[in-house]
RNA sequence: GGAGGGGUGGCCGAGCGGUUUAAGGCGCACGCCUGGAAAGCGUGUUCACGGGAAACCGUGUCGGGGGUUCGAAUCCCCCUCCCUCCGCCA
């Protein structure tokens, strides 16, 4: 959510920033709505002030036993005008808010230009893609051959884009989750949270999925939303609050299932676990000051990267261009892991600095030490990591010619000491 | 799901149609006092929006939304959250 005042202050800069996202100018229309709203508000407030003044005089006159009929008539006449002004003011404010709520965040200055993923810039590459003496298979071939990954069974239960994991692969998902959480809650200092998976409209509005992306979410009959990411409950932990500066930064991590309708993804990644309606993810969220958020963004990204490094997975870090960023982000790094079966880098984490964009929607503020005025916090989030896709990368990276899967040393304690998933006998 | 009781500033807590400009207390900030501190005394202390160069002024805000009234923290209706009991339940 943008501050209309900042648009008032520099409309051309606002439109120029939106243009970097490929959007047409909107500032002029917004300012017109804003001027109308403020005019109505001033008129309303003047009417209310007069009503308050006259009502007080009526009370005083009554107390002295004087006649106040003239004042009573005046206020009665004001009532209708107040009602009209209230309705008009509300309509104007609502029109302005509706428009503002659907505008994405502005890209940071150091975000490269570009309309789509072809404009993204590679920042660094870590680890070398493994060499194989055989043609590496895709994860679903490996998983199904092991008899531990069953898409057909999932389809019977739930339809397309679900999977059933069994045995060592079910364990592997649990192991990866615990491994990631331990990394983030350890030296990185994130506090582990077990949040609700069903949330209200306000929460989903706060992080920016509503109102524009309702079609991407699942909604219960009772009107609650299944979280598409733990970013929603974790970030909303600070909604409508005023934090002391010394309490910042707040760093939260959570393992949750994530639910996405994938409405616009028909035909993409239809095979395998890459794109599912439900997947596990360990999320990282940080709440900090405007001064600290850029550094916090780097720190958060490094925490996510450290998971890949300890698992020995090759990856690259991409700085997203203005046209490829998500709705709430002002700057985003994507981590892309190497998938030997696909012979490609695929997104496994997206780490974004949202600036004060979500904080405004949530009314999440802090009070700088020694100051009276409050300011909006900056919010950041990133996957650390998508567990399902990590499992995919692990299978494809550590596959053996016989169909078995080696378990990286760092993960073995979480697998009960197992060092490889053996190929299915027979 | 049923019945009942509640929600007032950072916190506690009065107020239940009009000098309430939300009493009083705690906490916090600043000042006085002090060798220094405590105590004491004094002043200040919700948030948002609008107007203004500023000082400051105005409007709204007593869980949320409607209504009654010249006037609502106070009366009425709906919603929401918390607590107690009953029912159901991992």
């Amino acid at each position: 959510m943008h501050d209309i005042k900042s648009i008032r202050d520099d409309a051309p800069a606002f439109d120029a920033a939106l243009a970097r996202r490929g959007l047409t100018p909107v500032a002029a229309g917004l300012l017109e709505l804003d001027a109308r709203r403020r005019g109505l508000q001033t008129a309303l407030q003047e009417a209310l002030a007069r009503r308050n003044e006259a009502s007080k005089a009526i009370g005083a006159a009554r107390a002295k036993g004087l006649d106040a009929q003239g004042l009573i008539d005046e206020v009665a006449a004001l009532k209708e005008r107040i009602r009209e002004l209230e309705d008009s003011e509300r309509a104007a404010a609502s029109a302005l808010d509706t428009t503002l709520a659907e505008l994405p965040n502005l890209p940071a200055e150091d975000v490269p230009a570009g309309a789509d993923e072809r404009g993204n810039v590679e920042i660094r590459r870590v680890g070398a893609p493994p060499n194989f003496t055989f043609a590496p298979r895709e994860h679903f071939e490996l998983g199904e051959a092991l008899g531990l990954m069953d898409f057909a069974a999932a389809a019977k239960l739930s339809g397309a884009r679900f999977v059933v994991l069994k045995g060592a692969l079910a364990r592997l998902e649990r192991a990866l989750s615990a491994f990631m959480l331990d990394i983030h809650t350890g030296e990185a200092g994130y506090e582990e949270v077990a949040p609700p998976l069903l949330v209200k409209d306000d929460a989903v509005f706060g992080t920016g999925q509503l109102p524009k992306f309702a079609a991407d979410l699942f909604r219960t009959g009772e009107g609650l939303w299944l979280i598409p990411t733990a970013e929603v409950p974790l970030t909303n932990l600070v909604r409508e609050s005023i934090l002391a500066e010394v309490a910042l930064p707040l760093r939260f991590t959570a393992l949750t299932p994530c639910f996405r309708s994938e409405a616009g993804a028909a035909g993409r990644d239809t095979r395998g676990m890459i794109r599912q309606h439900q997947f596990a993810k360990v999320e990282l969220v940080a709440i900090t000051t405007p001064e600290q958020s850029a550094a916090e963004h780097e720190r958060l990204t490094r925490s996510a990267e450290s998971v890949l490094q300890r698992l020995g997975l090759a990856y690259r870090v991409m700085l997203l261009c203005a046209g490829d960023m998500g709705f709430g982000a002002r700057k985003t790094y994507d981590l892309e892991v190497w998938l030997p079966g696909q012979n490609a880098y695929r997104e496994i984490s997206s780490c974004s600095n949202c600036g004060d964009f979500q904080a405004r929607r949530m009314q999440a503020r802090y009070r700088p030490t020694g100051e009276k005025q409050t300011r909006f916090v900056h919010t950041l989030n990133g996957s650390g990591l998508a567990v399902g896709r990590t499992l995919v990368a692990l299978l494809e990276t550590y596959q053996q010619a016989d169909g078995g899967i080696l378990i990286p040393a760092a993960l073995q304690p979480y697998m009960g000491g197992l060092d490889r998933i053996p190929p299915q006998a027979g």
Side-chain angles (χ1 to χ4, degrees):
Chain A
M1 197 80 155
H2 297 289
D3 183 6
I4 187 66
K5 284 185 227 164
S6 71
I7 303 173
R8 240 183 259 157
D9 288 346
D10 196 345
F14 185 77
D15 279 338
L18 281 185
R20 299 190 67 208
R21 280 205 184 243
L23 297 176
T24 53
V26 295
L30 288 171
L31 291 182
E32 200 178 308
L33 282 171
D34 177 51
R36 177 172 158 70
R37 194 199 98 247
R38 282 190 293 155
L40 287 164
Q41 186 180 27
T42 300
L44 172 63
Q45 289 183 355
E46 282 166 1
L48 288 170
R50 178 55 198 155
R51 184 196 67 185
N52 291 346
E53 189 181 31
S55 293
K56 203 168 289 183
I58 291 167
R62 285 255 173 106
K64 292 180 192 165
L66 299 173
D67 175 59
Q69 195 54 46
L71 288 167
I72 290 174
D73 292 345
E74 182 191 348
V75 179
L78 263 181
K79 255 182 104 168
E80 186 54 30
R81 175 164 169 74
I82 286 171
R83 194 184 302 270
E84 284 169 13
L85 285 169
E86 273 176 349
D87 289 347
S88 306
E89 196 270 345
R90 196 173 306 177
S94 161
L96 183 61
D97 287 345
T98 301
T99 311
L100 283 175
E102 299 212 346
L103 289 174
N105 204 352
L106 305 180
E109 283 173 20
D110 56 347
V111 166
D116 52 40
E117 67 277 2
R118 286 168 301 184
N120 298 342
V121 173
E122 184 176 308
I123 301 296
R124 56 183 169 269
R125 246 174 229 235
V126 180
N131 294 310
F132 292 91
T133 56
F134 55 95
R137 294 195 274 172
E138 293 209 54
H139 70 279
F140 48 85
E141 301 174 279
L142 295 161
E144 288 179 326
L146 287 168
L148 302 177
M149 185 182 289
D150 194 337
F151 294 96
K156 282 185 194 166
L157 303 179
S158 310
R161 296 201 188 281
F162 288 92
V163 68
V164 172
L165 298 179
K166 293 185 201 167
L169 288 191
R171 172 92 188 240
L172 183 57
E173 180 175 90
R174 175 160 59 94
L176 282 168
S177 302
F179 173 70
M180 292 177 195
L181 284 172
D182 284 350
I183 289 172
H184 302 312
T185 58
E187 61 263 42
Y190 286 81
E191 182 178 14
E192 185 170 349
V193 177
L197 309 180
L198 294 171
V199 297
K200 299 194 282 190
D201 290 357
D202 286 349
V204 194
F205 178 87
T207 35
Q209 287 81 14
L210 286 185
K212 212 175 171 188
F213 305 102
D216 297 334
L217 308 175
F218 287 110
R219 189 167 186 263
T220 70
E222 288 74 19
L224 292 171
W225 302 89
L226 277 73
I227 60 169
T229 158
E231 170 199 343
V232 177
L234 291 183
T235 309
N236 276 282
L237 285 176
V238 299
R239 72 174 296 112
E240 292 165 49
S241 58
I242 299 173
L243 304 158
E245 183 173 13
V246 292
L248 302 175
L250 294 174
R251 299 187 178 113
F252 300 121
T253 183
L255 163 68
T256 70
C258 302
F259 303 93
R260 300 186 183 180
S261 75
E262 295 297 342
R268 291 171 60 194
D269 302 310
T270 49
R271 296 208 63 186
M273 287 179 62
I274 291 290
R275 193 175 300 275
Q276 301 266 288
H277 286 312
Q278 175 190 328
F279 59 95
K281 179 158 61 69
V282 170
E283 182 73 359
L284 301 171
V285 161
I287 312 293
T288 188
T289 62
E291 291 73 21
Q292 294 298 315
S293 77
E296 189 69 26
H297 189 204
E298 301 298 325
R299 186 184 189 280
L300 184 147
T301 305
R302 294 291 181 175
S303 284
E305 283 181 67
S306 83
V307 175
L308 290 165
Q309 289 166 16
R310 293 174 208 222
L311 291 174
L313 297 173
Y315 68 96
R316 62 180 186 176
V317 181
M318 305 295 289
L319 174 58
L320 298 195
C321 70
D324 200 34
M325 283 195 303
F327 183 76
R330 66 190 304 270
K331 181 176 179 182
T332 298
Y333 292 119
D334 270 7
L335 306 186
E336 296 184 345
V337 70
W338 178 255
L339 296 185
Q342 288 198 5
N343 196 41
Y345 284 101
R346 293 298 305 259
E347 178 185 338
I348 197 168
S349 169
S350 192
C351 299
S352 298
N353 184 354
C354 296
D356 63 7
F357 185 80
Q358 294 177 323
R360 278 180 201 289
R361 299 170 84 96
M362 297 188 300
Q363 289 299 307
R365 290 160 293 183
Y366 77 102
R367 195 185 308 280
T369 306
E371 284 185 32
K372 188 169 160 50
Q373 267 300 320
T374 59
R375 299 169 73 189
F376 288 105
V377 296
H378 277 201
T379 62
L380 304 97
N381 65 78
S383 346
L385 309 160
V387 177
R389 289 189 181 182
T390 308
L391 186 143
V392 166
L394 214 64
L395 293 186
E396 295 195 8
T397 298
Y398 291 107
Q399 62 180 296
Q400 304 296 296
D402 64 4
I405 311 291
L406 296 183
I407 304 295
L411 203 58
Q412 288 172 13
Y414 293 86
M415 290 292 285
L418 196 69
D419 62 359
R420 74 191 285 257
I421 300 173
Q424 192 177 36

